[in-house]
Amino acid sequence: MFPELNNLLNITPDRAEQGKLTLLCDAKTDGSFLVHHFLSFYLKANCKVCFVALIQSFSHYNIVGQKLGVSLTLARERGQLVFLEGLKSSMDVFFQANEEPHPLQFLREANPGNLQPLFEFVREALKPVDNGEAVWKCPVLLVDDLSLLLSLGVGAVAVLDFVHYCRATVCWELKGNMVVLVHDSGDAKDEENDILLNGLSHQSHLILRTEGLATGFCRDVHGQLRILWRRPSQPTAQRDRSLTYQYKIQDKSVSFFAKGMSPAVL
Amino acid sequence: MVKGIMNAPPLSPGGGGQWALTPSGGARGETGHKSEMLDSLLGLGGLMLLRDSVEWEGRSLLKALIKKCALSGGQVHILGCEVSEEEFREGFDSDINNRLVYRDFFRDPLNWSKTGEALPGGPLGALTAMCKRTDPGPVTIAVDSLSWLLLHLPCTTLCQTLHALSRQDSCPGDSFPVGQVRVLGLLHEELHSPGPVGALSSLAQTEVTLGGTMGQASAHILCRRPRQRPTHQTQWFCILPDFSLDLQEGPPVESQAHPDPHTPPVDPMTHLTFNLHLSKKEREARDNLTLPFQFSSEKQQALLRPGLGQATSHIFYEPDAYDDLDQEDPDDDLDI
């Protein structure tokens, strides 16, 4: 996890909020560093994490996690981390005996109906263990990323329904948190992606949006991060807060600074 | 336009059209001023569309309207699809919560748990069932949200159900005289194409579009009264933690970024260390100058006829030691 980002969001592993949906969105840049941040953050906070990783392999996240101070292998052995490696387990859809639906069952269907098997997998992974002892703190669901599901043929409404059910189970019933990543197609008019992004924005409590700089690539400033706190149901006595920072990604950390205040420029 | 406003339910005589400009500490009492907007929004009945966006959310205004309806008597039914019942009821005190009948479509809207608890007929069946009321009086139905229904149901079916709901004589089998039915629907504008939004808009008697600027929320209210022209108003407001409404003036005009038309533009040539201006003589000299590559008639004549004192040109050549001078003309063999 990146301590500077924790300061900006005003959270610490000991004092994380519960029942929140955080939306990560990137436009014209790669926002995956935020996924690594939240993964290591919640592992350090002693939460039970279910990670639906569709984009990269386990070893990729493990290597980055080690730089940030967590060992995914160890967490998986201890039972703290349930890892669905999309790249590897997509093969199991074809070669596994058909006992029960595979989480990625939609890959086999000509018209992918819904993501219910994936939701059942998440629910099974995060349900509290019956022995009554609370070993881990609140459950957390991480998805990297949802736009890939659209590319695989699932409709935007089906993805929204999946997130809805996960929200009902993880955030409301189990009082846990959710972090999902969606790409913003920006100028390319992708209507399904826009429906997904806007629909999720309405449901989210916190939106972290990374954007590339409007002027192009820069060696010292890799992009801009916009933080928007939303309270969908509470009245607007305190207006939704929004902050914008620029950042530079280094080997083991990310440094944030106000716009125009990069150390390279000052 | 003013005439339409004056025909609204008479809450306070005169000045009804000045909402956007009247300071909050006007001649009328503050509480009367606050309830005006909600009263007149609810007075029309039928379908009210609350159009919100990611930046300016509308659920809190929906809850403020629900609170108003609950306090003024009558039943309030809520079809909740987007947030949990606890989250929706948060902020209401207990006597309001007791008057709300909540139909929960958040936990298991698509019946994935297959427990058989799902309400028959789905959300539309639940909406129609809300019409069948047991005691007379106005009924308010709040839909949170219409966007969820639009994404999961065909637009035509939804429009037909809403139309049937908001009509006065819609519910057969009622033993009580039919009262007024109000439907409050929350719609997230960015999720839908203009077609379905336009269809819902045409069904609505009142449309409230939420927006704002510089941290202050505004509601653009469009009222369609029968046999009158539609009226437009913009009202700045703020919702308090107990979901009562506080009307406000708009943001101050000075802080808006308009350039002042009376300030003359600054002349950039006033403080230079060099001279950019031309005197009259200099200007004439400049105009009379012939440019070197400009082809005028004098130049043409000079080229065609060499001048009197102009001899043919001479070439003076000093050969180097390495030069091999051949006196023969290389073009001799040409037959010209």
Side-chain angles (χ1 to χ4, degrees):
Chain A
M1 65 176 186
F2 308 122
E4 284 192 40
L5 184 55
N6 283 346
N7 291 338
L8 293 182
L9 298 176
N10 204 17
I11 48 174
T12 61
D14 311 317
R15 209 172 37 93
E17 290 186 312
Q18 290 188 298
K20 301 292 175 209
L21 168 62
T22 302
L23 175 66
L24 310 175
C25 142
D26 58 12
K28 289 189 196 163
T29 187
D30 183 15
S32 55
F33 70 94
L34 292 171
V35 176
H36 296 297
H37 163 84
F38 280 105
L39 177 60
S40 53
F41 176 86
Y42 283 116
L43 284 176
K44 283 192 181 167
N46 217 23
C47 295
K48 178 145 192 199
V49 177
C50 174
F51 190 5
V52 177
L54 302 172
I55 293 279
Q56 302 278 8
S57 64
F58 178 80
S59 51
H60 171 92
Y61 294 105
N62 197 19
I63 292 171
V64 180
Q66 278 169 359
K67 288 188 190 175
L68 299 180
V70 289
S71 165
L72 297 193
T73 328
L74 198 58
R76 190 162 63 169
E77 283 165 14
R78 281 192 311 195
Q80 187 188 9
L81 173 67
V82 178
F83 197 96
L84 175 65
E85 188 173 350
L87 292 171
K88 207 165 75 168
S89 68
S90 55
M91 289 291 108
D92 296 339
V93 177
F94 298 94
F95 298 120
Q96 201 179 53
N98 293 352
E99 302 137 356
E100 45 183 52
H102 190 275
L104 303 180
Q105 189 66 31
F106 63 90
L107 291 172
R108 286 211 79 158
E109 294 162 15
N111 297 318
N114 58 29
L115 293 171
Q116 187 176 356
L118 189 58
F119 162 69
E120 299 289 348
F121 169 82
V122 169
R123 196 174 59 159
E124 194 60 35
L126 289 178
K127 72 174 183 194
V129 185
D130 277 341
N131 60 10
E133 293 176 15
V135 182
W136 313 112
K137 275 206 288 189
C138 62
V140 172
L141 170 64
L142 266 169
V143 184
D144 180 19
D145 62 50
L146 287 177
S147 297
L148 183 69
L149 293 172
L150 293 180
S151 308
L152 290 173
V154 185
V157 180
V159 181
L160 282 174
D161 288 337
F162 164 71
V163 176
H164 177 109
Y165 267 89
C166 288
R167 206 161 51 93
T169 306
V170 176
C171 294
W172 176 67
E173 194 182 320
L174 301 174
K175 305 281 182 290
N177 289 331
M178 273 178 70
V179 180
V180 297
L181 174 68
V182 178
H183 297 297
D184 187 0
S185 51
D187 293 335
K189 298 281 180 195
D190 189 346
E191 288 170 6
E192 293 265 302
N193 203 31
D194 288 341
I195 293 176
L196 178 62
L197 183 60
N198 288 324
L200 285 177
S201 305
H202 275 282
Q203 298 178 24
S204 312
H205 299 90
L206 174 64
I207 302 178
L208 296 177
R209 189 184 160 86
T210 51
E211 296 162 348
L213 294 177
T215 42
F217 175 74
C218 171
R219 199 181 49 190
D220 296 302
V221 179
H222 291 147
Q224 192 162 288
L225 174 70
R226 195 163 159 250
I227 308 173
L228 178 64
W229 280 273
R230 287 189 81 245
R231 294 179 175 276
S233 65
Q234 288 178 20
T236 56
Q238 32 175 351
R239 198 54 246 176
D240 298 335
R241 287 200 295 144
S242 164
L243 296 173
T244 308
Y245 293 95
Q246 291 178 339
Y247 62 87
K248 178 177 178 180
I249 303 178
Q250 286 140 357
D251 184 42
K252 290 190 181 181
S253 68
V254 177
S255 58
F256 292 88
F257 33 87
K259 278 163 102 164
M261 307 286 276
S262 159
V265 176
L266 294 175
Chain B
M1 190 133 352
V2 174
K3 185 173 161 199
I5 296 169
M6 298 303 257
N7 282 341
L11 296 159
S12 62
Q18 295 169 16
W19 291 354
L21 302 174
T22 308
S24 52
R28 289 155 291 161
E30 288 234 330
T31 50
H33 191 90
K34 280 176 197 175
S35 65
E36 251 182 46
M37 172 176 160
L38 294 179
D39 278 335
S40 104
L41 280 178
L42 296 170
L44 203 51
L47 171 64
M48 179 189 316
L49 217 54
L50 289 175
R51 301 165 68 145
D52 73 346
S53 57
V54 173
E55 216 189 321
W56 301 99
E57 57 90 22
R59 190 165 289 116
S60 35
L61 182 60
L62 178 69
K63 285 169 83 164
L65 289 165
I66 288 174
K67 174 177 170 174
K68 182 83 186 156
C69 294
L71 288 177
S72 56
Q75 301 173 31
V76 181
H77 297 263
I78 302 170
L79 183 72
C81 309
E82 290 201 344
V83 294
S84 64
E85 184 172 351
E86 290 157 1
E87 197 179 331
F88 197 89
R89 285 181 183 271
E90 198 183 323
F92 287 144
D93 44 2
S94 51
D95 62 332
I96 297 179
N97 267 324
N98 290 337
R99 299 178 201 215
L100 303 182
V101 179
Y102 196 91
R103 301 295 188 93
D104 185 9
F105 271 88
F106 170 74
R107 232 170 348 140
D108 191 5
L110 305 175
N111 201 21
W112 280 3
S113 61
K114 299 227 183 324
T115 53
E117 286 174 4
L119 302 164
L124 290 186
L127 277 180
T128 324
M130 286 173 186
C131 249
K132 297 179 173 42
R133 48 197 181 277
T134 49
D135 31 80
V139 171
T140 307
I141 301 175
V143 184
D144 177 17
S145 63
L146 285 176
S147 284
W148 194 95
L149 295 177
L150 252 189
L151 287 176
H152 291 87
L153 301 165
C155 179
T156 47
T157 321
L158 178 62
C159 288
Q160 283 164 1
T161 311
L162 286 176
H163 182 65
L165 274 183
S166 45
R167 272 172 51 209
Q168 297 274 337
D169 52 353
S170 59
C171 304
D174 259 349
S175 48
F176 288 96
V178 175
Q180 192 188 40
V181 177
R182 258 187 239 120
V183 181
L184 313 173
L186 184 62
L187 187 70
H188 307 305
E189 285 192 298
E190 310 110 320
L191 296 183
H192 312 286
S193 52
V197 174
L200 285 175
S201 165
S202 63
L203 282 178
Q205 271 70 47
T206 319
E207 273 182 67
V208 181
T209 307
L210 289 144
T213 173
M214 289 185 293
Q216 268 203 305
S218 73
H220 181 89
I221 304 169
L222 168 67
C223 289
R224 294 193 187 92
R225 292 189 173 81
R227 293 183 295 281
Q228 291 175 19
R229 288 172 62 198
T231 58
H232 295 261
Q233 269 147 11
T234 302
Q235 178 66 55
W236 300 89
F237 68 96
C238 163
I239 299 189
L240 305 171
D242 66 346
F243 292 105
S244 52
L245 203 68
D246 185 24
L247 298 180
Q248 293 177 341
E249 304 173 22
V253 182
E254 307 87 62
S255 61
Q256 291 173 18
H258 291 306
D260 187 352
H262 298 300
T263 312
V266 177
D267 186 12
M269 295 207 279
T270 39
H271 299 296
L272 296 172
T273 55
F274 47 89
N275 183 22
L276 277 181
H277 299 281
L278 292 175
S279 70
K280 191 159 173 288
K281 251 176 57 173
E282 287 168 338
R283 210 181 295 264
E284 276 172 16
R286 185 184 74 173
D287 289 337
N288 288 335
L289 185 64
T290 319
L291 294 173
F293 299 106
Q294 205 168 345
F295 197 65
S296 59
S297 57
E298 293 94 4
K299 251 196 181 150
Q300 192 182 16
Q301 297 304 315
L303 285 172
L304 288 176
R305 274 178 318 199
L308 293 171
Q310 209 172 355
T312 54
S313 51
H314 284 287
I315 299 175
F316 299 95
Y317 176 60
E318 297 285 343
D320 283 338
Y322 310 107
D323 264 337
D324 180 22
L325 276 182
D326 191 357
Q327 297 297 339
E328 280 183 7
D329 187 0
D331 294 329
D332 256 352
D333 53 350
L334 288 178
D335 187 17
I336 298 176

